[in-house]
Amino acid sequence: MSRTVTVSVASDLVVILTDASNAAVTGLVSTDIAVEYRKDGGAFITKILALTDLIEVGSGVYEVKFTALELDTLGSFVYKVTGASISQYVEIIDILAAGQAATAASIDICVLTGHVFDVSGKPAANTTIIARLLGSPSMSGGFGILNSVVSARTDSNGEFFLPLARLSRVDITIPKMQYRRQLVVPNEATAALFTEVP
């Protein structure tokens, strides 16, 4: 289910932090993690975390405080949390105008992530990653999914974020590198395309 926040209103965004074996990581403080965010397709910005910006509210469940200034742009807001002892956490939320209602029905999304580099080891910026739905008509969580194409482009670091409906069967292509594979989108908030998706 896609989360929403109101533009220019400070919000606590929930993250679930796990290790490589998917076990909850507890006892983290703000100096144990790094947080980056991107406003509506812009470049990633490193968030400077104060001691009170990360609060553990349950076993491996944390709230990250974002300021009104950080949430001041309408559209998609991507944030990612990394750290030595945790698996990368990525989420895309929608920032809406005050009084704008969120869509009544939504489905759970998995954000496929990855990096693309050229043969010299430099990030391959503006590389297109394409996902095409297979097996139309398709259903996920009681909703029908249109036979459509979803795409994303790598940023200046060669990194991409491709939001897809969980458990949908898709054909992924990266034309510049002649990469193609079919997969079922994991039933997780995020997954690394090249290493975590069977």
Side-chain angles (χ1 to χ4, degrees):
M1 187 177 276
S2 180
R3 289 196 283 173
T4 62
V5 296
T6 302
V7 68
S8 298
V9 175
S11 296
D12 296 341
L13 301 180
V14 175
V15 298
I16 301 169
L17 302 178
T18 60
D19 62 17
S21 65
N22 211 27
V25 178
T26 61
L28 295 174
V29 294
S30 61
T31 55
D32 295 326
I33 64 166
V35 177
E36 293 180 279
Y37 63 92
R38 172 165 82 178
K39 301 176 185 182
D40 202 32
F44 272 98
I45 300 166
T46 300
K47 178 174 176 52
I48 306 301
L49 291 170
L51 292 175
T52 57
D53 285 344
L54 181 72
I55 298 172
E56 187 169 8
V57 295
S59 181
V61 180
Y62 297 83
E63 289 179 345
V64 178
K65 295 183 181 299
F66 284 90
T67 67
L69 185 60
E70 292 166 335
L71 301 170
D72 68 352
T73 304
L74 293 172
S76 65
F77 181 86
V78 179
Y79 63 102
K80 61 181 177 177
V81 180
T82 57
S85 64
I86 63 170
S87 296
Q88 177 175 266
Y89 179 91
V90 178
E91 185 158 1
I92 301 173
I93 63 170
D94 293 320
I95 298 181
L96 304 177
Q100 181 180 356
T103 309
S106 63
I107 60 174
D108 289 334
I109 299 296
C110 174
V111 180
L112 292 184
T113 64
H115 287 84
V116 179
F117 296 93
D118 67 19
V119 72
S120 70
K122 294 179 183 172
N126 294 315
T127 299
T128 303
I129 296 84
I130 302 166
R132 183 179 310 278
L133 184 66
L134 297 172
S136 187
S138 182
M139 303 292 284
S140 178
F143 296 97
I145 301 174
L146 292 176
N147 185 13
S148 61
V149 173
V150 176
S151 66
R153 288 191 179 269
T154 56
D155 60 20
S156 60
N157 297 316
E159 188 172 24
F160 65 86
F161 301 90
L162 185 65
L164 298 169
R166 293 184 191 183
L167 302 176
S168 58
R169 194 166 160 259
V170 295
D171 181 57
I172 304 281
T173 56
I174 306 174
K176 277 189 179 177
M177 62 185 274
Q178 298 177 356
Y179 176 90
R180 185 175 187 176
R181 75 183 275 209
Q182 295 180 0
L183 58 92
V184 174
V185 178
N187 192 16
E188 300 176 27
T190 184
L193 175 63
F194 302 125
T195 59
E196 297 178 350
V197 179

